[in-house]
Amino acid sequence: MKIDILGVQAFIAIADQGSFQAAADALHVTQTAVTLRLRKLEDFLGVTLIERTTRSIALTDIGQDFLPQARRLLAELAEALVEIRESGMAQRGDVSIACVPTVGVQYLPRIMQEYCARYPHNRIKILDHASSAVAQAVLRREAEFGINIAREHHPDLISLPLTEDRYVLICHKEHPLARRRRIAWPQLQSYPLIFAGEVSANRALLDPALESHGLALRSFYEVQRSSTAVGLVAQGVGVAVVPRLALQEGAYPNVRVIELVDPVVSRNLVLIKRRTAHLSPAAQALYDMIRDQESGR
């Protein structure tokens, strides 16, 4: 059914203004146009909404009943149009992104603060997954885009380099290594080491890098998440190798960070999205903000 918006507008204007001429002035049209719009609406509905004489107008009983409904109809339409327009301007909308857990520790928060200040009505859903699950979330459209560890991705995904994240050693402040600023990988052999487990994407990066330098470290404890390693170190359980982004500044005052050298091993973070994806305006704004902040460094 075609809704006669112009006729509804004319009806409300006549009721509010008290005359056809005043309604025409309010709508910036001619009196003839207002009359035709109302007549068309009444013909469509098959009822008379306004009784008019040469000197006055009055709403019929049906017109009086219809007036609040007509106001609500136009108000809801106006609100819907504003919402759609603001969505197109990225001023309103929901965003779902996927990322490896360490990205949410100190990398994402500063970007999200800026995004939320610029787009206060937008909500962000973060799916913090293992690296392989980040890619799957994007492919399955559970997330519009993701932040992942650089690796060979599915052919339906494209990636954009973001930042380099070095692996570091962390230890308790009372540990014998706590006063060191840097340490070589071979010197870790004699310490109980907390290391990434076999299924961790970090382990898949660390093993080949160390093997290429003739190094093979044995872990005393294995964990799948860097946050677990940080918690164990904070309690003095051992020393751990984690990405630098896994440790938030000031969050663990008892933990010390030591550079790992000979070799320096890093991982690269990338933005990923589906090759054929058309991001929503809200998601595109966040995607661009992440990309632009890194390119501006």
Side-chain angles (χ1 to χ4, degrees):
M1 180 180 69
K2 184 178 179 180
I3 299 176
D4 185 2
I5 300 299
L6 293 179
V8 174
Q9 285 180 324
F11 167 66
I12 294 174
I14 295 166
D16 287 344
Q17 301 299 325
S19 75
F20 281 73
Q21 184 58 57
D25 294 340
L27 294 175
H28 305 292
V29 296
T30 65
Q31 181 176 337
T32 301
V34 170
T35 302
L36 289 175
R37 290 177 185 182
L38 177 64
R39 184 181 302 162
K40 183 178 178 182
L41 176 63
E42 291 179 325
D43 289 345
F44 175 75
L45 296 176
V47 298
T48 299
L49 299 174
I50 294 178
E51 294 178 344
R52 51 271 208 194
T53 67
T54 55
R55 295 188 177 183
S56 65
I57 67 164
L59 270 63
T60 64
D61 290 343
I62 294 177
Q64 291 176 349
D65 291 339
F66 178 56
L67 183 59
Q69 299 177 50
R71 294 190 196 281
R72 185 165 60 250
L73 172 66
L74 288 190
E76 290 175 353
L77 176 61
E79 183 178 348
L81 293 176
V82 168
E83 184 173 341
I84 292 173
R85 185 173 185 273
E86 289 184 349
S87 295
M89 298 168 61
Q91 292 181 355
R92 187 179 302 184
D94 295 343
V95 184
S96 292
I97 68 173
C99 67
V100 289
T102 46
V103 168
V105 176
Q106 61 168 308
Y107 182 83
L108 265 185
R110 59 182 175 82
I111 297 174
M112 288 177 60
Q113 285 179 329
E114 180 179 342
Y115 180 83
C116 291
R118 190 177 301 180
Y119 307 108
H121 299 295
N122 293 0
R123 297 185 302 175
I124 302 175
K125 180 180 180 181
I126 299 175
L127 306 176
D128 49 339
H129 291 319
S131 180
S132 59
V134 170
Q136 287 302 312
V138 176
L139 285 169
R140 291 194 297 261
R141 295 175 171 82
E142 296 169 3
E144 293 197 67
F145 67 90
I147 302 176
N148 206 0
I149 298 172
R151 56 192 300 177
E152 185 174 347
H153 286 298
H154 191 282
D156 290 341
L157 296 176
I158 57 175
S159 63
L160 182 70
L162 279 183
T163 189
E164 183 181 21
D165 186 19
R166 289 180 57 172
Y167 289 97
V168 296
L169 183 75
I170 58 173
C171 66
H172 192 274
K173 68 177 182 179
E174 302 297 336
H175 193 276
L177 295 176
R179 294 182 179 274
R180 299 283 296 270
R181 294 186 57 188
R182 60 180 60 87
I183 189 170
W185 286 89
Q187 295 176 280
L188 302 181
Q189 298 279 4
S190 58
Y191 297 97
L193 186 63
I194 303 168
F195 211 53
E198 294 288 346
V199 300
S200 169
N202 289 315
R203 185 66 173 268
L205 288 172
L206 287 167
D207 282 349
L210 295 178
E211 287 173 5
S212 67
H213 287 76
L215 300 172
L217 295 179
R218 293 181 57 189
S219 57
F220 198 84
Y221 307 97
E222 284 194 359
V223 298
Q224 302 310 317
R225 288 183 177 263
S226 297
S227 57
T228 304
V230 174
L232 292 173
V233 169
Q235 296 300 316
V237 173
V239 298
V241 174
V242 297
R244 182 66 182 84
L245 287 176
L247 195 67
Q248 187 175 18
E249 193 83 29
Y252 290 90
N254 291 333
V255 174
R256 299 291 181 265
V257 179
I258 304 166
E259 291 182 23
L260 279 168
V261 295
D262 300 328
V264 171
V265 185
S266 303
R267 64 178 188 171
N268 292 310
L269 297 178
V270 294
L271 266 174
I272 63 170
K273 66 176 182 178
R274 288 181 295 109
R275 191 174 298 276
T276 58
H278 293 281
L279 301 182
S280 68
Q284 187 68 57
L286 181 57
Y287 182 95
D288 292 344
M289 187 174 292
I290 295 172
R291 179 200 62 198
D292 294 344
Q293 284 206 11
E294 290 305 323
S295 63
R297 284 189 171 192

